[in-house]
Amino acid sequence: MLRLGVQKDWSARWFQSNGSHLSGYWDASFGFWRETQYQNVPGAHESLTDIGFTPVFRWEHDNKKGIYYEGGIGVHRLSELYNNDTYRLSTLFQFGDHIGIGYVFDNNWEVGAKIQHFSNGGYRKPNTGVNFLELKAAYHF
């Protein structure tokens, strides 16, 4: 998966303690997925896109530099049904939740990693869900 996103920081600072606080951001994203075992056929390829919107909570330093921890639950709309090997999603609408960790450098560059899970919440079967390990590089304007 390859994802591009635009984020808008919240101005809130909850639970301030020892130079850190809980805040967050809005994340609007566009993703491109490449399936390599489409419909359980090795070597069969299929691609789909997803558009997502996620509120993300982040525990960070007051100066917004250094290490952070985050988590969020948002909504996604897929262009096609995901059907890759034994993992299938039966709806185009999906919830996307994640937890992550990262670091913001003094020059405003950020690197991070997160585990993201997509699922329709069980309102239609099959719903095996799909998990991704994602690496992130971002620049704060």
Side-chain angles (χ1 to χ4, degrees), residues 36-76:
T36 59
Q37 301 249 2
Y38 181 64
Q39 295 184 337
N40 295 327
V41 178
H45 298 282
E46 180 72 9
S47 298
L48 61 88
T49 57
D50 93 77
I51 296 173
F53 184 75
T54 305
V56 179
F57 290 93
R58 181 181 276 193
W59 185 260
E60 62 190 358
H61 293 291
D62 288 343
N63 66 1
K64 296 189 177 240
K65 306 293 184 192
I67 196 164
Y68 66 81
Y69 309 92
E70 69 178 29
I73 299 175
V75 294
H76 292 260

Side-chain angles (χ1 to χ4, degrees), residues 108-128:
N108 289 336
W109 277 99
E110 172 185 334
V111 294
K114 66 182 178 180
I115 297 170
Q116 183 154 27
H117 175 74
F118 289 91
S119 167
N120 68 21
Y123 70 87
R124 188 167 181 199
K125 303 291 183 195
N127 183 42
T128 57

Side-chain angles (χ1 to χ4, degrees), residues 1 3 7 15 26 33 39 44 48-51 59-61 66 70 72 82 91 93 96 98 119 133 135-136 139-140:
M1 175 186 20
R3 172 171 287 138
Q7 300 171 344
F15 307 108
W26 301 109
W33 301 19
Q39 295 184 337
L48 61 88
T49 57
D50 93 77
I51 296 173
W59 185 260
E60 62 190 358
H61 293 291
E70 69 178 29
Y82 182 84
T91 60
F93 173 81
H98 78 269
S119 167
L133 174 60
L135 302 177
K136 174 181 180 178
Y139 185 79
H140 296 246

Side-chain angles (χ1 to χ4, degrees), residues 86-115:
T86 57
Y87 297 98
R88 293 179 55 205
L89 301 175
S90 60
T91 60
L92 298 177
F93 173 81
Q94 297 291 311
F95 295 103
D97 54 319
H98 78 269
I99 56 171
I101 186 171
Y103 192 91
V104 180
F105 296 94
D106 287 335
N107 63 2
N108 289 336
W109 277 99
E110 172 185 334
V111 294
K114 66 182 178 180
I115 297 170

